[in-house]
């Protein structure tokens, strides 16, 4: 039986036999070529340190430095030929470096291993993604601040259980997302600070007998310090998991807002109008304007959260230190990072372009007996009723209004007094939605003055 027939079950892709199968499962260059710049940055820092410590001759290191810059130029220019046979970005770069400068290229790997090399490259890449996420979040926060400032005193319904609860302001609603995204920003900032330690110099797992200077390479790569345990340095992927955890929470916040935009832009609500740049039409229904960008953002949480779970599953059973399983860390993180940045950019665009329908918001704010709590508070504050009794009286008045088909402010004084004789005309002063929101002056409340104070605070923070 020929080798091709033996491996027919694998299909034509693996007709070359077990060697091809092993090459396909073992190679990572198809995705880890994204680490090219980080790999070359790490190699340049490592080479400079080898020269400074006298481990390599200055002439060899200068040749390595120039060669690596040539390799980087080829990669960034699209001229570099990646080879699956060379497995990964590290070996691809080193092989090309040898073609360019010859024998000195073989000295570059002195006092390091692919284990600490990949850990360093990946950590640098994820650190860059934290910076990108922070920048994306800040851009979106500024877009929300602009919406909040424009509608700081526009009334709209606040919801619980997606049922009208109490009137709030458009600005207050926008600022709720500013607060959520600020915590996301904090999580990425904290994760970045924790991951900013260098694995380089840990070598395969035990460190090295060469007199290297790990503090020098750490500083050159912008790390705060070298990692203190060589076993941990090569086997840790906490930094990637923490990035994915922060990305998952952030994507969840974006998904919640996307859901609101889907609802608000519907014909039943008409709270917002999304621009043509972030909506699509229907192939059969000419009247449709679909909030596709919002819907796709809403779906991104699945991919991002899935990446978090997938990497957790890869890492959960691995003994120290490095195992080949850890090659499966990058694709998940790459995909999650790409989709998070796309979602942030799309949401930023939608928020900047969207137009709130002030009239529709105000009409909805007064529906559903939204000022019932204001009435109950008035009964407590003015008539001295215990809150539970005030709650009961208000519920009776809501039932009365519902029975006659009007809202609370439309009941007559005599109708109200039929439920509680102590009610006076002053009660009508608290039943309007504008009066309701203006009265919510507690810190963090929906009163326009409070909203404007929070807008000013965040504008100063983000300045």
């Amino acid at each position: 039986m020929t080798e091709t027939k033996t491996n027919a079950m694998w299909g034509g892709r693996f007709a070359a036999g077990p060697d091809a199968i092993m090459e396909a499962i073992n190679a990572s260059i198809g995705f880890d070529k994204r680490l090219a710049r980080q790999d070359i940055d790490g190699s340049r820092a490592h080479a400079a340190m080898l020269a400074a410590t006298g481990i390599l001759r200055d002439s060899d290191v200068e040749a390595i430095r120039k060669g690596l810059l040539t390799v980087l130029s080829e990669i960034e220019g699209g001229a570099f030929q990646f080879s699956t046979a060379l497995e990964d970005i590290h070996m691809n770069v080193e092989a090309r470096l040898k073609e360019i400068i010859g024998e000195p290229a073989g000295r570059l790997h002195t006092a390091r291993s692919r284990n600490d090399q990949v850990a360093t490259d990946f950590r640098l890449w994820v650190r860059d993604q934290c910076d990108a996420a922070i920048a994306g979040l800040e851009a979106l926060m500024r877009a929300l601040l602009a919406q909040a400032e424009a509608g700081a005193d526009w009334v709209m319904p606040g919801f619980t259980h997606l049922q009208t609860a109490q009137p709030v302001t458009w600005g207050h609603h926008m600022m709720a997302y500013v607060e959520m995204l600020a915590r996301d920003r904090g999580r990425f900032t904290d994760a970045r600070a924790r991951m900013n330690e260098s694995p380089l110099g840990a070598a395969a797992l035990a460190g090295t007998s060469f007199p290297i200077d790990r503090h020098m390479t750490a500083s050159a790569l912008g790390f705060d310090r070298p990692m203190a345990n060589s076993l941990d340095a090569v086997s840790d992927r906490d930094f990637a998991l923490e990035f994915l955890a922060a990305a998952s929470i952030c994507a969840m916040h974006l998904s919640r807002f996307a859901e609101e935009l889907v609802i608000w832009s519907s014909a039943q609500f008409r709270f917002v109008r999304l621009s043509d740049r972030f909506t699509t039409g229907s192939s059969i229904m000419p009247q449709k304007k679909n909030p596709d960008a919002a819907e796709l953002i809403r779906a991104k949480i699945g991919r991002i959260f899935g990446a978090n779970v997938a990497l957790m599953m890869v890492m959960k059973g691995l003994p120290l230190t490095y195992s080949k399983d850890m090659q499966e860390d990058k694709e998940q993180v790459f995909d999650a990072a790409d989709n998070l940045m796309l979602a942030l950019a799309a949401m930023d665009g939608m928020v900047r372009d969207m137009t709130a329908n002030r009239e529709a918001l105000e009409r909805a704010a007064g529906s559903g007996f939204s000022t019932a709590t204001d009435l109950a508070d008035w009964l407590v504050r003015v008539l001295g009723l215990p809150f539970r009794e005030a709650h009961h009286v208000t519920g009776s008045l809501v039932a009365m209004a519902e029975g006659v088909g009007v809202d609370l402010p439309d009941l007559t004084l005599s109708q109200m007094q039929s439920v509680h004789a102590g009610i006076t005309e002053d009660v009508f002063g608290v039943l309007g939605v504008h009066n309701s929101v203006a009265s919510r002056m507690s810190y963090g409340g929906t009163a326009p003055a409070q909203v404007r104070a929070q807008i000013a605070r965040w504008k100063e923070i983000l300045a």
Side-chain angles (χ1 to χ4, degrees):
M1 184 178 291
T2 67
E3 187 174 56
T4 300
K5 288 182 179 179
T6 302
N7 291 284
M9 64 180 290
W10 303 114
R13 181 173 178 81
F14 298 116
D19 288 347
I21 296 168
M22 185 59 202
E23 180 178 300
I25 197 171
N26 191 51
S28 60
I29 189 61
F31 51 86
D32 72 13
K33 61 187 177 184
R34 291 184 66 164
L35 300 176
R37 183 177 61 78
Q38 288 81 10
D39 190 73
I40 289 171
D41 286 348
S43 290
R44 291 175 64 194
H46 183 66
M49 180 274 296
L50 292 176
T53 53
I55 297 171
L56 292 188
R57 295 191 301 269
D58 289 345
S59 57
D60 284 345
V61 171
E62 180 60 17
I64 289 168
R65 184 188 70 81
K66 290 180 178 178
L68 287 171
L69 290 175
T70 299
V71 175
L72 181 61
S73 177
E74 291 177 353
I75 292 172
E76 292 181 342
F80 192 93
Q81 296 295 313
F82 293 101
S83 168
T84 305
L86 292 170
E87 293 185 20
D88 56 32
I89 186 61
H90 323 299
M91 297 306 294
N92 270 262
V93 168
E94 188 172 322
R96 178 60 182 141
L97 182 65
K98 185 175 183 181
E99 291 175 353
I100 296 170
I101 69 170
E103 188 261 349
R107 302 185 188 279
L108 174 59
H109 211 53
T110 304
R112 76 173 183 185
S113 161
R114 277 194 292 178
N115 291 357
D116 63 335
Q117 192 177 356
V118 69
T120 303
D121 295 356
F122 195 25
R123 195 173 284 250
L124 288 170
W125 192 91
V126 174
R127 190 181 70 183
D128 289 344
Q129 291 305 301
C130 285
D131 291 338
I134 290 166
L137 283 163
E138 290 178 350
L140 177 52
M141 288 167 71
R142 290 188 180 95
L144 288 163
L145 283 170
Q147 285 283 350
E149 194 165 27
D153 58 356
W154 297 0
V155 292
M156 67 174 289
F159 298 96
T160 60
H161 309 279
L162 203 55
Q163 307 294 313
T164 299
Q166 294 176 317
V168 296
T169 54
W170 172 258
H172 196 51
H173 201 111
M174 295 298 102
M175 292 303 294
Y177 284 103
V178 171
E179 294 290 338
M180 291 182 219
L181 298 177
R183 292 192 295 275
D184 293 324
R185 174 176 173 259
R187 274 181 279 271
F188 284 114
T189 301
D190 291 346
R192 190 197 193 284
R194 255 186 299 280
M195 71 178 64
N196 205 34
E197 297 182 337
S198 175
L200 193 58
L205 76 161
T208 177
S209 59
F210 289 96
I212 62 173
D213 185 346
R214 293 189 62 207
H215 290 275
M216 179 180 174
T217 50
S219 177
L221 294 170
F223 289 113
D224 294 329
R225 64 192 68 85
M227 295 182 74
N229 184 284
S230 61
L231 301 176
D232 179 47
V234 299
S235 63
D236 166 55
R237 292 300 182 268
D238 296 2
F239 64 93
L241 287 166
E242 192 167 4
F243 170 80
L244 290 175
S248 295
I249 297 171
C250 179
M252 176 270 294
H253 287 148
L254 297 177
S255 179
R256 293 184 71 181
F257 193 24
E259 169 71 359
E260 292 196 316
L261 294 180
V262 170
I263 294 170
W264 290 353
S265 62
S266 68
Q268 290 72 27
F269 274 74
R270 298 188 187 276
F271 283 5
V272 298
R273 183 181 183 277
L274 301 177
S275 76
D276 293 347
R277 296 200 309 145
F278 294 97
T279 54
T280 64
S282 165
S283 62
I284 191 172
M285 295 170 284
Q287 84 282 9
K288 294 294 293 298
K289 188 174 182 180
N290 300 322
D292 282 8
E295 292 171 354
L296 289 166
I297 290 171
R298 189 174 58 185
K300 293 297 183 187
I301 181 65
R303 294 176 69 154
I304 295 169
F305 187 73
N308 191 19
V309 173
L311 186 53
M312 283 282 195
M313 294 301 291
V314 168
M315 298 301 298
K316 73 174 183 64
L318 299 185
L320 295 182
T321 56
Y322 183 83
S323 296
K324 194 69 170 180
D325 312 49
M326 292 165 71
Q327 184 168 291
E328 290 296 307
D329 56 1
K330 296 167 203 66
E331 284 181 285
Q332 310 291 344
V333 179
F334 291 162
D335 184 74
D338 289 347
N339 281 283
L340 177 66
M341 293 309 300
L342 184 58
L344 282 168
M347 185 61 83
D348 182 30
M350 278 195 296
V351 170
R352 291 182 189 279
D353 284 4
M354 74 181 180
T355 304
N357 185 339
R358 185 176 182 178
E359 292 73 24
L361 291 169
E362 185 159 344
R363 280 195 303 272
S367 67
F369 311 105
S370 64
T371 56
T373 306
D374 297 276
L375 173 56
D377 289 346
W378 184 89
L379 293 169
V380 171
R381 188 172 59 252
V382 177
L383 301 188
L385 271 61
F387 183 78
R388 285 301 167 202
E389 184 180 347
H391 187 284
H392 179 76
V393 170
T394 302
S396 298
L397 289 169
V398 167
M400 176 186 287
E402 195 169 35
V404 298
V406 299
D407 210 340
L408 277 174
D410 301 317
L411 288 174
T412 67
L413 179 59
S414 61
Q415 286 174 314
M416 290 192 180
Q417 289 175 335
S418 71
V419 175
H420 193 284
I423 296 176
T424 68
E425 280 196 25
D426 291 345
V427 74
F428 292 101
V430 301
L431 293 182
V433 291
H434 288 281
N435 291 333
S436 174
V437 297
S439 71
R440 307 291 174 178
M441 279 294 294
S442 56
Y443 181 83
T446 193
Q450 284 292 323
V451 172
R452 291 189 176 103
Q454 293 299 328
I455 292 169
R457 181 175 73 89
W458 274 110
K459 286 174 76 172
E460 184 177 348
I461 292 170
L462 293 173

